[in-house]
Short mmCIF file of all heavy atoms in Angstrom, two decimals:
data_model
loop_
_atom_site.label_atom_id
_atom_site.label_comp_id
_atom_site.label_asym_id
_atom_site.label_seq_id
_atom_site.Cartn_x
_atom_site.Cartn_y
_atom_site.Cartn_z
N THR A 18 -24.42 -14.87 -1.26
CA THR A 18 -24.05 -13.35 -1.06
C THR A 18 -23.47 -12.86 -2.43
O THR A 18 -22.84 -13.66 -3.21
CB THR A 18 -22.94 -13.26 -0.08
OG1 THR A 18 -23.20 -14.06 1.05
CG2 THR A 18 -22.78 -11.74 0.31
N GLU A 19 -23.88 -11.69 -2.84
CA GLU A 19 -23.39 -11.07 -3.98
C GLU A 19 -21.99 -10.50 -3.70
O GLU A 19 -21.84 -9.73 -2.72
CB GLU A 19 -24.29 -9.95 -4.50
CG GLU A 19 -25.59 -10.42 -5.19
CD GLU A 19 -25.25 -11.08 -6.53
OE1 GLU A 19 -24.44 -10.56 -7.30
OE2 GLU A 19 -25.73 -12.22 -6.65
N LEU A 20 -20.99 -10.81 -4.46
CA LEU A 20 -19.63 -10.28 -4.26
C LEU A 20 -19.59 -9.03 -5.16
O LEU A 20 -19.73 -9.09 -6.40
CB LEU A 20 -18.60 -11.24 -4.63
CG LEU A 20 -17.16 -10.71 -4.62
CD1 LEU A 20 -16.87 -10.26 -3.15
CD2 LEU A 20 -16.12 -11.82 -5.00
N ILE A 21 -19.47 -7.92 -4.53
CA ILE A 21 -19.37 -6.63 -5.28
C ILE A 21 -18.11 -5.93 -4.89
O ILE A 21 -17.51 -6.12 -3.75
CB ILE A 21 -20.59 -5.75 -5.10
CG1 ILE A 21 -20.80 -5.46 -3.62
CG2 ILE A 21 -21.86 -6.39 -5.73
CD1 ILE A 21 -20.58 -4.05 -3.21
N LEU A 22 -17.67 -5.05 -5.79
CA LEU A 22 -16.53 -4.14 -5.51
C LEU A 22 -17.23 -2.81 -5.20
O LEU A 22 -17.85 -2.21 -6.15
CB LEU A 22 -15.58 -4.06 -6.63
CG LEU A 22 -14.74 -5.40 -6.77
CD1 LEU A 22 -14.07 -5.42 -8.13
CD2 LEU A 22 -13.75 -5.54 -5.69
N PRO A 23 -16.97 -2.12 -4.12
CA PRO A 23 -17.70 -0.97 -3.68
C PRO A 23 -17.04 0.25 -4.31
O PRO A 23 -16.13 0.88 -3.65
CB PRO A 23 -17.59 -0.93 -2.20
CG PRO A 23 -16.19 -1.62 -1.87
CD PRO A 23 -16.06 -2.61 -3.05
N MET A 24 -17.43 0.61 -5.49
CA MET A 24 -16.72 1.76 -6.14
C MET A 24 -17.60 3.07 -5.97
O MET A 24 -18.81 3.02 -6.12
CB MET A 24 -16.45 1.60 -7.62
CG MET A 24 -15.54 2.62 -8.24
SD MET A 24 -14.99 2.25 -9.80
CE MET A 24 -16.45 2.56 -10.85
N HIS A 25 -16.93 4.16 -5.58
CA HIS A 25 -17.60 5.45 -5.46
C HIS A 25 -17.09 6.41 -6.44
O HIS A 25 -15.85 6.50 -6.69
CB HIS A 25 -17.34 5.99 -4.10
CG HIS A 25 -17.92 5.19 -2.92
ND1 HIS A 25 -19.08 5.42 -2.31
CD2 HIS A 25 -17.42 4.07 -2.40
CE1 HIS A 25 -19.32 4.52 -1.42
NE2 HIS A 25 -18.31 3.66 -1.40
N GLU A 26 -17.98 7.21 -7.14
CA GLU A 26 -17.53 8.17 -8.05
C GLU A 26 -17.96 9.59 -7.60
O GLU A 26 -19.17 9.84 -7.11
CB GLU A 26 -18.24 7.87 -9.43
CG GLU A 26 -17.81 8.93 -10.47
CD GLU A 26 -18.74 8.70 -11.80
OE1 GLU A 26 -19.88 8.65 -11.75
OE2 GLU A 26 -18.02 8.57 -12.93
N ILE A 27 -16.98 10.52 -7.70
CA ILE A 27 -17.29 11.87 -7.32
C ILE A 27 -16.88 12.71 -8.43
O ILE A 27 -15.65 12.75 -8.80
CB ILE A 27 -16.44 12.21 -5.98
CG1 ILE A 27 -16.82 11.26 -4.80
CG2 ILE A 27 -16.71 13.73 -5.59
CD1 ILE A 27 -15.77 11.15 -3.74
N VAL A 28 -17.82 13.45 -8.95
CA VAL A 28 -17.60 14.24 -10.20
C VAL A 28 -17.65 15.79 -9.83
O VAL A 28 -18.70 16.15 -9.24
CB VAL A 28 -18.52 13.96 -11.24
CG1 VAL A 28 -18.20 14.73 -12.56
CG2 VAL A 28 -18.52 12.47 -11.62
N GLY A 29 -16.57 16.44 -10.02
CA GLY A 29 -16.56 17.86 -9.73
C GLY A 29 -17.21 18.72 -10.67
O GLY A 29 -17.54 18.24 -11.76
N ASP A 30 -17.45 19.99 -10.37
CA ASP A 30 -18.11 20.94 -11.32
C ASP A 30 -17.24 21.41 -12.42
O ASP A 30 -17.67 21.78 -13.48
CB ASP A 30 -18.64 22.19 -10.51
CG ASP A 30 -19.65 21.82 -9.50
OD1 ASP A 30 -20.42 20.88 -9.72
OD2 ASP A 30 -19.67 22.48 -8.46
N ARG A 31 -15.93 21.40 -12.14
CA ARG A 31 -14.95 21.78 -13.25
C ARG A 31 -14.31 20.63 -13.81
O ARG A 31 -14.24 19.56 -13.18
CB ARG A 31 -14.01 22.81 -12.60
CG ARG A 31 -14.60 24.08 -12.09
CD ARG A 31 -13.64 25.02 -11.42
NE ARG A 31 -13.08 24.33 -10.11
CZ ARG A 31 -11.84 24.28 -9.85
NH1 ARG A 31 -10.96 24.67 -10.68
NH2 ARG A 31 -11.48 23.71 -8.66
N SER A 32 -13.74 20.79 -15.03
CA SER A 32 -13.11 19.64 -15.70
C SER A 32 -11.78 19.41 -15.08
O SER A 32 -11.14 20.32 -14.54
CB SER A 32 -13.02 19.85 -17.22
OG SER A 32 -12.20 20.93 -17.48
N GLY A 33 -11.25 18.19 -15.28
CA GLY A 33 -10.01 17.86 -14.77
C GLY A 33 -9.71 16.39 -14.87
O GLY A 33 -10.65 15.67 -15.45
#
Side-chain angles (χ1 to χ4, degrees):
T18 318
E19 283 295 311
L20 178 57
I21 55 112
L22 291 164
M24 191 168 74
H25 298 261
E26 182 186 50
I27 303 158
V28 182
D30 295 329
R31 295 175 293 129
S32 65

